[in-house]
């Protein structure tokens, strides 16, 4: 969330920057609303001061035996005016909050122009996409032939865009999660958390999912409780520190969790909906860093490296791209995607997204720290996937498939699985 005064001071600069991401900012409306709210606050303060003065005068006049009827009537009138002004102030404050909650983060200058994935700028490629002397299959055909993926029975259970992993497939999913968690906790210094998968409306608002993206969320209602299934581990991890002041000496905080994620993906039908790429329920290892505002970009670069380490451990070819301003998420000011090569599609597909949010989430969630002068200031947040398990599994199957229908797994998974090869019939081999 923004500070309204900062946006107004930026004026046309804020309008131009938000226009890069397709948002039209009406500065005059914002300025008018803030002015009316401030005027209401001042009026309330003046009325309260007058009410206190009248109360003192009533007491003094009564002690002196004077007539206090007119003074008491003036005091009652002042109290009624205070109630009316407070109600107006609350209404204007809510309108201002709703307006500010609807304004996306200002895109960073480094974000290229454009509004689609085609406008992303490639930063680097790592590894050579594998070449095959046979026609490579995608992970759906390969996994179903091996008997380790079952999308038909998943559809029977829950409808489309769910999956069932069976036998070695389920073991591989578990092994990938364990590998990623071990990398991040033992090598990269993150603290693992086990967090709730159902959160409040306020928690969703703190990280920017609400109010804008309510149609993408799965919502539950039991009695008078209104809870949402988390779309990403970012939501509970970041909001662990909502409404807290974190001492500067404790920053940066590095948090990770392995959670299920639930997304309706409203409006995305037809885009990467085959297989494990874009599902309503999927598992992910999430990374969150909370830091001083001037450290956000450096922390983002470090997190990109942590996500890349996962792909290198799996011997996967990938590339890193910077998203265009108009294709950057609502709460982010700069995003880098890691895209893994999928031979079955002969294309790079996103497997991780790392974003610098600046103080946008810190301001919304009330996550604060102190500056060099000891004054409280919103903390910065950085978030990334490290990694989505299903997408990583799909890439492992596709890039490491063999001509005989088997899959030769990367050596990093052997300690977690106890075998190196998945035979064409889906059984462990080379244990």
């Amino acid at each position: 969330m923004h500070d309204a005064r900062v946006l107004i001071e930026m004026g046309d600069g804020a309008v131009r920057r938000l226009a890069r991401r397709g948002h039209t900012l009406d500065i005059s409306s914002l300025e008018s609303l803030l002015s009316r709210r401030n005027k209401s606050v001042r009026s309330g303060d003046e009325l309260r001061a007058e009410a206190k003065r009248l109360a003192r005068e009533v007491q003094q006049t009564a002690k002196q035996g004077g007539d206090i009827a007119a003074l008491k009537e003036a005091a009652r009138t002042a109290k009624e005016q205070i109630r009316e002004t407070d109600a107006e102030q609350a209404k204007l404050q809510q309108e201002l909050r709703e307006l500010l909650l609807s304004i996306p983060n200002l895109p960073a200058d480094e974000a290229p122009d454009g509004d689609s994935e085609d406008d992303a700028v490639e930063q680097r490629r790592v590894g050579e996409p594998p070449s095959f002397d046979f026609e490579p299959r995608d992970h759906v055909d390969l996994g179903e032939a091996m008997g380790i993926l079952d999308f038909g029975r998943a559809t029977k259970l829950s409808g489309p865009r769910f999956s069932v992993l069976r036998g070695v497939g389920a073991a591989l999913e578990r092994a990938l999660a364990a590998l990623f968690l071990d990398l991040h906790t033992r090598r990269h210094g993150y603290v693992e958390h086990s967090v709730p998968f159902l959160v409040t409306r306020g928690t969703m608002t703190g990280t920017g999912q609400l109010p804008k993206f309510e149609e993408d969320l799965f919502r539950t209602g039991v009695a008078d409780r209104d809870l949402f299934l988390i779309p990403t581990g970012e939501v509970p991890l970041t909001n662990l520190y909502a409404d807290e002041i974190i001492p500067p000496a404790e920053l940066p905080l590095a948090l990770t969790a392995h959670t299920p994620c639930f997304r309706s993906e409203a409006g995305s039908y037809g885009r990467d909906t085959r297989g494990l790429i874009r599902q309503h329920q999927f598992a992910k290892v999430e990374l969150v860093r909370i830091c001083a505002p001037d450290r956000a970009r450096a922390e983002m670069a470090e997190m990109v490296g942590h996500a890349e380490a996962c792909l290198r451990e799996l011997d996967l070819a990938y590339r890193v791209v910077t998203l265009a301003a108009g294709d950057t998420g609502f709460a982010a000011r700069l995003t880098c995607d890691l895209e893994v090569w999928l031979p079955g599609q002969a294309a790079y597909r996103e497997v991780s997204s790392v974003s610098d949010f600046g103080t946008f989430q810190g301001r919304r969630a009330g996550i604060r720290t102190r500056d060099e002068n000891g004054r409280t200031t919103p903390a910065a947040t950085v978030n990334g996937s490290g990694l989505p398990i299903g997408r990583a599994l799909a890439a492992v199957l596709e890039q490491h498939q063999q001509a005989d229908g088997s899959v030769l797994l990367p050596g990093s998974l052997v300690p977690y699985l106890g075998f190196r090869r998945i035979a064409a019939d889906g059984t462990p081999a080379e244990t």
Side-chain angles (χ1 to χ4, degrees):
M1 189 165 71
H2 296 281
D3 183 329
R5 294 167 299 180
V6 172
L7 289 177
I8 291 168
E9 287 172 4
M10 292 179 66
D12 290 343
V15 173
R16 285 193 298 271
R17 290 178 67 179
L18 286 168
R20 295 183 66 218
R21 62 184 310 155
H23 181 86
T24 301
L25 176 63
D26 188 341
I27 280 285
S28 60
S29 294
L30 176 61
E31 190 168 12
S32 173
L33 185 54
L34 180 63
S35 176
R36 286 185 288 136
R37 194 283 309 267
N38 291 344
K39 181 180 179 181
S40 180
V41 171
R42 288 192 298 271
S43 295
D45 290 343
E46 291 168 0
L47 285 168
R48 271 181 279 275
E50 175 66 8
K52 288 180 181 179
R53 186 193 66 78
L54 287 169
R56 289 193 301 269
E57 192 170 347
V58 167
Q59 291 178 345
Q60 292 171 356
T61 303
K63 287 180 181 179
Q64 296 169 0
D67 185 0
I68 62 172
L71 289 172
K72 290 181 70 175
E73 180 61 28
R76 281 194 294 269
T77 299
K79 288 181 179 178
E80 180 60 31
Q81 289 176 327
I82 288 171
R83 283 193 290 269
E84 293 174 356
T85 302
D86 284 350
E88 179 189 34
Q89 179 186 330
K91 177 176 177 293
L92 291 170
Q93 179 62 37
Q94 182 60 25
E95 289 180 15
L96 181 61
R97 174 176 168 79
E98 289 176 358
L99 175 58
L100 291 172
L101 286 174
S102 72
I103 301 172
N105 204 347
L106 296 169
D109 293 338
E110 302 95 304
D113 290 333
D115 58 7
S116 75
E117 60 186 24
D118 295 331
D119 299 309
V121 174
E122 184 176 297
Q123 301 299 327
R124 60 183 173 275
R125 295 192 181 196
V126 179
E128 287 293 328
S131 59
F132 303 96
D133 55 7
F134 57 92
E135 185 69 26
R137 290 185 284 180
D138 71 9
H139 67 280
V140 178
D141 293 338
L142 187 61
E144 289 189 328
M146 301 172 85
I148 64 173
L149 296 179
D150 192 335
F151 294 99
R153 287 189 172 92
T155 300
K156 178 172 66 175
L157 293 174
S158 306
R161 296 172 70 178
F162 289 88
S163 62
V164 168
L165 283 77
R166 174 181 177 274
V168 168
L172 180 55
E173 180 183 51
R174 176 162 41 88
L176 286 166
L179 171 64
F180 298 157
L181 286 171
D182 283 348
L183 278 175
H184 299 317
T185 58
R186 298 176 183 178
R187 186 185 302 176
H188 302 147
Y190 290 80
V191 177
E192 184 177 357
H193 290 70
S194 178
V195 293
F197 306 149
L198 287 164
V199 297
T200 65
R201 179 174 290 274
T203 299
M204 283 289 195
T205 303
T207 39
Q209 282 73 26
L210 289 178
K212 183 175 178 61
F213 300 107
E214 187 157 356
E215 67 173 1
D216 281 333
L217 303 173
F218 287 101
R219 178 180 173 185
T220 70
V222 178
D224 61 346
R225 302 196 69 184
D226 184 26
L227 295 173
F228 294 83
L229 288 162
I230 61 171
T232 165
E234 165 201 351
V235 174
L237 283 175
T238 303
N239 281 282
L240 285 171
Y241 293 88
D243 300 317
E244 294 187 23
I245 299 175
I246 306 168
E250 296 181 11
L251 297 178
L253 296 176
L255 321 172
T256 188
H258 173 218
T259 73
C261 305
F262 305 90
R263 299 180 186 178
S264 72
E265 299 280 15
S268 66
Y269 292 94
R271 292 187 60 221
D272 292 332
T273 56
R274 176 175 165 82
L276 298 171
I277 304 303
R278 192 183 293 271
Q279 297 198 304
H280 292 315
Q281 176 188 323
F282 59 98
K284 183 166 56 151
V285 172
E286 195 73 7
L287 303 175
V288 167
R289 298 180 78 86
I290 302 175
C291 61
D294 61 356
R295 285 286 305 164
R297 196 56 51 81
E299 298 291 341
M300 177 185 175
E302 188 169 354
M303 186 179 286
V304 170
H306 296 159
E308 287 187 79
C310 298
L311 298 175
R312 289 196 298 271
E313 287 289 325
L314 298 175
D315 298 327
L316 295 174
Y318 66 92
R319 69 173 187 165
V320 181
V321 301
T322 301
L323 297 191
D327 196 34
T328 300
F330 176 84
R333 61 182 184 180
L334 185 68
T335 296
C336 285
D337 275 1
L338 278 66
E339 298 181 347
V340 70
W341 178 258
L342 291 181
Q345 298 184 27
Y348 286 97
R349 290 288 180 262
E350 180 214 331
V351 70
S352 177
S353 185
V354 179
S355 296
D356 169 11
F357 299 109
T359 59
F360 189 83
Q361 291 180 330
R363 195 177 297 279
R364 290 172 76 106
I367 305 170
R368 292 161 292 165
T369 186
R370 297 189 186 278
D371 63 19
E372 64 275 7
N373 298 313
R375 295 171 299 196
T376 58
T377 183
T381 58
V382 179
N383 161 253
S385 307
L387 298 166
I389 309 303
R391 295 184 184 188
L393 190 151
V396 167
L397 293 181
E398 292 196 20
Q399 287 201 31
H400 296 300
Q401 62 183 294
Q402 307 295 304
D404 62 359
S406 67
V407 173
L408 184 62
L409 298 170
S412 59
L413 289 172
V414 173
Y416 300 94
L417 291 168
F419 57 87
R420 180 71 188 273
R421 184 186 294 270
I422 307 175
D425 63 359
T427 58
E430 296 187 20
T431 57

